[in-house]
Amino acid sequence: MTAATGQDPGRILVLINGASGAGKTTAAAWLQERLTDAIWIHPDGRWPTPSMTSGQILLEVLNALATIDGPWMALADCQIRGSEARDLLAGRTDLQIVNVVLTCEPVERARRLRHRDAHTHDLRTIEVWSEVLRRDAVRLGDPVVDTTAIGTAACGQQILAFLERQARLTPGLDYSMRTQT
């Protein structure tokens, strides 16, 4: 409960968005290691098909949150528009949405995807989706982090800095007190 509003700020859902190969999973794992009161909702094995809608993905995230007692923050790496997430979760006073979009240069994305698995990826479609997510984030004023030339730690630190700025705008939230180095 915050002194300023008399309301519990609830949980924070950090959507770490980006197209395949942008570094979402790596960034989420780095953050989860450092945020002492956070859980990571990882899509591997959780999302049944790659063709799930944004609503279905968010329902999976919310179902995972409902089964876990207490964590203050959830990190979810996914591929949905921040605007859709906000629309779908409108009216949820128990949940604050923070959307961060990761992107990278096409050559780096292709390298990462080749390194990650032998599966052939439709790079043109992935790049179009990356641009859709980036434009949506820019329109909403959400941060976009280009992971092409920065390491995991620098990417994670940029996301933490954004979360701390958000906390200063929301009475009762203090991300800095919940991190470890």
Side-chain angles (χ1 to χ4, degrees), residues 12 14 72-73 86 96-100 140-143 158-175:
I12 295 161
V14 180
W72 172 75
M73 181 186 294
R86 286 183 176 95
Q96 295 184 37
I97 305 298
V98 175
N99 182 51
V100 178
L140 295 170
D142 291 339
Q158 286 186 30
I159 294 170
L160 282 177
F162 174 75
L163 291 173
E164 288 171 357
R165 281 192 302 277
Q166 287 295 104
R168 284 192 293 275
L169 300 174
T170 308
L173 296 183
D174 184 2
Y175 296 95

Side-chain angles (χ1 to χ4, degrees), residues 128-140:
V128 168
W129 183 238
S130 179
E131 184 61 15
V132 166
L133 293 171
R134 188 194 68 75
R135 286 184 182 181
D136 186 65
V138 168
R139 183 177 61 79
L140 295 170

Side-chain angles (χ1 to χ4, degrees), residues 60-153:
E60 288 291 325
V61 169
L62 293 175
N63 285 340
L65 278 175
T67 63
I68 300 165
D69 211 14
W72 172 75
M73 181 186 294
L75 308 165
D77 57 294
C78 47
Q79 297 187 34
I80 61 176
R81 290 181 186 98
S83 58
E84 282 186 273
R86 286 183 176 95
D87 289 347
L88 290 165
L89 297 174
R92 293 284 308 256
T93 58
D94 63 324
L95 193 61
Q96 295 184 37
I97 305 298
V98 175
N99 182 51
V100 178
V101 173
L102 304 185
T103 187
C104 65
E105 293 296 322
V107 172
E108 176 62 11
R109 183 185 317 279
R111 185 195 68 76
R112 291 175 185 176
L113 292 173
R114 274 193 313 276
H115 179 69
R116 184 173 79 189
D117 58 39
H119 177 71
T120 302
H121 297 274
D122 181 353
L123 294 175
R124 185 174 33 211
T125 300
I126 291 171
E127 289 308 323
V128 168
W129 183 238
S130 179
E131 184 61 15
V132 166
L133 293 171
R134 188 194 68 75
R135 286 184 182 181
D136 186 65
V138 168
R139 183 177 61 79
L140 295 170
D142 291 339
V144 177
V145 179
D146 185 340
T147 65
T148 302
I150 64 172
T152 302

